[in-house]
Amino acid sequence: DARVTQTPRHKVTEMGQEVTMRCQPILGHNTVFWYRQTMMQGLELLAYFRNRAPLDDSGMPKDRFSAEMPDATLATLKIQPSEPRDSAVYFCASGLGSLAGATDTQYFGPGTRLTVL
Amino acid sequence: AQSVTQLGSHVSVSEGALVLLRCNYSSSVPPYLFWYVQYPNQGLQLLLKYTTGATLVKGINGFEAEFKKSETSFHLTKPSAHMSDAAEYFCAVILYNQGGKLIFGQGTELSVKP
């Protein structure tokens, strides 16, 4: 049963520290998405990649957030320095994008619950 | 711009009663529409989707949704609620002409009373 995996599942850190979240997409999927979920804002798309290249990161605060795909099996989301307002659940999702650019079903990981004190 | 509106942030039904979760969308092009479910402390799971073809779509766990273009709606229904259906439900539309970005509604929390 292929699944998206995310590590860590929970992270508590202090303001100013660097946070790295990792995602392993489903093997064969060529599109990876990062979402953030908060009570106030709901689900927000932060960034996404197609074939490891960033397609859109307009939802991401550029000064402190960065997203990369070092290889096809790993996506990372980093926050440096972290702030209390970054506390949220961060989800990774993967899917198979068509030639036309659309991605049909997205498969979500279990999320990383981040708390910044 | 495309957007999704879910009517009612909280819906409560009795076990065995009809479940109806409302979703309306705005889109300048034919949409792909999705319903996802999120159980506590878990990620989102696809319930069902509409892309093309038959407008009544059946999903997992007895849920179904009907795409009504004239009403720009994609309401989710289940004839008989079960306690295990208690979760948060998200309607979403995909921007298929922009690389597949999912736009989510704000979510509806479903409670099921015994």
Side-chain angles (χ1 to χ4, degrees), chain A residues 9 31 33 35 37 39-45 48 50 55-56 58 89 91 100-111 113, chain B residues 10 32 34 36 38 40-46 49-51 88 90 94-107 109:
Chain A
R9 292 295 310 277
T31 310
F33 302 81
Y35 293 91
Q37 185 178 37
M39 289 293 292
M40 293 300 294
Q41 300 297 326
L43 275 160
E44 303 173 276
L45 177 66
Y48 71 104
R50 173 72 48 79
L55 281 191
D56 188 339
S58 60
V89 181
F91 288 104
T103 305
D104 198 333
T105 303
Q106 294 184 20
Y107 297 84
F108 283 74
R113 182 174 296 276
Chain B
H10 292 88
Y32 290 179
F34 301 78
Y36 281 85
Q38 184 179 28
N41 299 313
Q42 294 187 27
L44 280 71
Q45 178 183 0
L46 180 70
K49 64 183 180 183
Y50 168 79
T51 54
E88 186 144 20
F90 293 91
I94 208 162
L95 302 180
Y96 72 86
N97 59 341
Q98 294 185 29
K101 294 167 64 170
L102 262 179
I103 305 298
F104 285 94
Q106 283 298 100
E109 184 176 354

Side-chain angles (χ1 to χ4, degrees), chain B residues 72-89:
Chain B
T72 62
S73 69
F74 191 57
H75 301 330
L76 181 70
T77 61
K78 182 174 180 177
S80 176
H82 191 271
M83 296 296 291
S84 61
D85 295 327
E88 186 144 20
Y89 292 79

